[in-house]
C-alpha cells in the first residue's frame, strides 16, 4: 500500500510542478514585459507620427479653408476694404507652404 502511494506521488509530481514552473517563468518575465510596455507608451512609432502629422495638416487645411471663405465673404460684403490685399492670391487651396522640386 505504501509502495502504491509512493508510486502515485512520483507519477503526479510532474503534473503538479508544471504549474509552478509556469508561475515562476511568468514572475521572472513580468519586469521585462512591464519595461517593454513602458517603452511602447513613451515612444512614438513612425506610423503614429505619420498619422499625427496627417491629422495636423488636415486641421490646418480646414482652418485655412474657413479663413479663406470668411475673407471672401467679407470682401463680397465690403469690397472697398479688400482692394488689392488678398493674402490668399496665388496659393492653391490646400497649399501648406511646401513644393516638391520639378525634376
Amino acid at each position: 500500500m505504501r509502495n502504491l502511494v509512493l508510486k502515485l506521488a512520483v507519477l503526479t509530481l510532474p503534473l503538479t510542478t508544471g504549474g509552478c514552473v509556469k508561475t515562476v517563468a511568468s514572475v521572472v518575465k513580468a519586469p521585462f514585459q512591464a519595461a517593454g510596455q513602458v517603452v511602447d507608451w513613451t515612444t512614438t512609432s513612425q506610423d503614429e507620427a505619420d498619422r499625427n502629422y496627417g491629422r495636423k495638416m488636415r486641421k490646418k487645411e480646414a482652418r485655412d479653408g474657413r479663413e479663406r471663405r470668411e475673407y471672401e465673404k467679407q470682401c463680397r460684403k465690403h469690397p472697398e476694404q479688400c482692394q488689392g490685399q488678398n493674402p490668399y492670391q496665388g496659393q492653391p487651396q490646400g497649399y501648406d507652404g511646401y513644393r516638391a522640386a520639378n525634376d
Side-chain angles (χ1 to χ4, degrees):
M1 176 75 172
R2 184 176 181 154
N3 217 2
L4 180 64
V5 171
L6 185 60
K7 285 181 183 178
L8 281 175
V10 169
L11 289 176
T12 59
L13 186 64
L15 297 175
T16 59
T17 59
C20 294
V21 171
K22 288 181 184 178
T23 303
V24 168
S26 65
V27 168
V28 169
K29 290 191 306 185
F32 298 104
Q33 290 173 338
Q37 188 65 40
V38 168
V39 169
D40 287 343
W41 286 338
T42 57
T43 58
T44 303
S45 67
Q46 186 62 45
D47 182 49
E48 188 177 4
D50 292 343
R51 188 174 50 242
N52 291 340
Y53 177 75
R55 182 180 303 127
K56 177 181 157 185
M57 293 312 300
R58 283 191 303 277
K59 286 182 179 183
K60 181 185 181 307
E61 288 175 359
R63 185 182 64 242
D64 290 347
R66 284 191 302 270
E67 290 173 0
R68 179 189 294 245
R69 286 190 298 275
E70 182 62 32
Y71 177 80
E72 291 170 353
K73 183 179 174 183
Q74 289 300 321
C75 284
R76 283 192 301 273
K77 287 183 180 179
H78 308 288
E80 67 279 353
Q81 294 177 354
C82 298
Q83 291 290 340
Q85 346 173 1
N86 187 354
Y88 300 104
Q89 191 169 1
Q91 292 183 2
Q93 213 168 12
Y95 176 70
D96 63 352
Y98 172 77
R99 291 264 185 212
N102 295 332
D103 292 328

